[in-house]
């Protein structure tokens, strides 16, 4: 399992476990097709639907100019 880093356990993700919906963090360069393939191989299930998103990068703080 190269691509899947770890499972996420928050209040919402624990609620979703009851609906057989799982949450995990994956490597940043992974595509939806790769993630689907990894989940199907590792858990032995058929993935019906999947949501994914990329977090926005951080913006460096602006430096104040000395006068």
């Amino acid at each position: 399992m190269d691509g899947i880093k770890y499972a996420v356990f928050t209040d919402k993700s624990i609620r979703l476990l009851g609906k057989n919906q799982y949450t995990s963090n994956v490597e940043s360069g992974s595509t939806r097709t790769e993630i689907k393939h990894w989940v199907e191989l590792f858990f032995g299930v058929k993935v019906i639907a999947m949501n994914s998103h990329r977090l926005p990068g951080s913006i460096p703080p602006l430096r104040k100019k000395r006068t």
Side-chain angles (χ1 to χ4, degrees), residues 10-40:
T10 61
D11 291 337
K12 183 176 180 179
S13 67
I14 292 172
R15 269 196 323 265
L16 292 174
L17 287 174
K19 298 179 182 180
N20 290 331
Q21 296 179 1
Y22 301 94
T23 309
S24 62
N25 281 351
V26 297
E27 291 182 4
S28 61
S30 305
T31 63
R32 290 173 54 97
T33 309
E34 291 173 339
I35 298 168
K36 180 179 176 181
H37 181 69
W38 292 328
V39 170
E40 288 178 347

Side-chain angles (χ1 to χ4, degrees), residues 42-55:
F42 187 71
F43 294 106
V45 296
K46 174 80 171 124
V47 175
I48 297 172
M50 180 183 66
N51 293 330
S52 66
H53 73 280
R54 295 182 186 214
L55 296 175

